[in-house]
Each structure stands twice: as C-alpha cells, then as structure tokens.
Amino acid sequence: MLELPRLRVVRGVDMTEVTGQTEYALRRAGVSQVNTDATRIWLGKVHTPPGYASEAHHHGEAETAGYVLKGRAFILIGEDYRERVDLEEGDFVFVPPHTPHIEGNASDTEELIWMTARTPDNIVVNLGRADQ
C-alpha cells in the first residue's frame, strides 16, 4: 500500500537550521524535506543582523518568494550588483531561478526577518563576497 505524506506541524521552537546557508543570512526551515514530508516546497525565516548583507548567491532552479516580516531590506542585483531594490515591512518580492543577488539589512539597529518560500527546495549556491 502506498504511504501518503502526513500533515505535520512544526512549532517555531522546532525550526531547523539544517538547510542551505549564506553568511549573514541565517535560514531556519519551518517546512522542508528535513523536518516534514515536503518534496516540492521550502518555507522558512531568514534572519539578517543590523547593518549586514549576505554573500552573493542564487537559488538554482528554485523560484523564491519573500516577504519582509520585520525591518527594512535591500536586494542588490544586476551587473556588479549595482541595481538596488529597497523593501519595507509588508513588502513581497519574487526572485526568479538562477538570479544572482545580495540581500541585506537596511537598518543599523534592527534585525531583518524575511519569510521565504522556495520551490522545489531551499537551494543555495554561494558565489562569494561581492567585494572580493
């Protein structure tokens, strides 16, 4: 008999950091292949300390949706990451597959928290520091 995936509740205190990571963008998975039966979606929170930005990276074949839950963010894209997109609490963003970017905290005093969903999984391809 075929075993069907089961409904699974992951409490906030039980989120896992066993997922793709980028320096200064700590990802915690709420729904992932690690802690649920999910096979085509990843959902979690990304925390960035005040004044910091991630390394340059992309998410491979994954489509990414982001929501600024707390704080102010920016995303750098394009040639030499010169194009800047600013986001405030309540803003959503879509990042297409294979799009190199840097995500950062626009505040020097407040933590930035994103809600992020990806499909099929949290693929993280780190490209290194943009200033190297």
Side-chain angles (χ1 to χ4, degrees):
M1 179 175 209
L2 180 66
E3 187 174 325
L4 297 175
R6 63 185 178 89
L7 185 138
R8 168 73 200 243
V9 174
V10 178
R11 305 289 179 200
V13 297
D14 295 327
M15 294 175 74
T16 179
E17 293 176 15
V18 179
T19 189
Q21 298 290 348
T22 302
E23 187 175 18
Y24 302 121
L26 174 62
R27 296 179 182 91
R28 293 187 172 111
V31 174
S32 73
Q33 294 176 10
V34 172
N35 59 0
T36 70
D37 291 333
T39 60
R40 296 186 308 256
I41 192 167
W42 183 93
L43 176 65
K45 285 184 178 179
V46 183
H47 298 254
T48 305
Y52 282 90
S54 72
E55 292 181 58
H57 64 282
H58 66 77
H59 299 287
E61 67 180 288
E63 291 187 325
T64 299
Y67 173 78
V68 181
L69 185 64
K70 178 183 173 199
R72 294 181 300 117
F74 64 85
I75 299 177
L76 304 176
I77 58 174
E79 187 176 338
D80 296 325
Y81 305 99
R82 286 185 271 185
E83 184 180 339
R84 180 179 167 131
V85 178
D86 289 301
L87 299 109
E88 303 286 330
E89 282 184 24
D91 289 347
F92 292 85
V93 64
F94 169 70
V95 181
H98 300 284
T99 301
H101 62 283
I102 295 169
E103 58 205 48
N105 187 338
S107 172
D108 290 329
T109 59
E110 186 178 345
E111 179 181 43
L112 168 64
I113 302 175
W114 297 87
M115 291 297 300
T116 303
R118 292 200 178 90
T119 183
D121 195 9
N122 185 46
I123 299 165
V124 178
V125 178
N126 290 308
L127 303 172
R129 301 290 317 164
D131 55 0
Q132 291 180 342

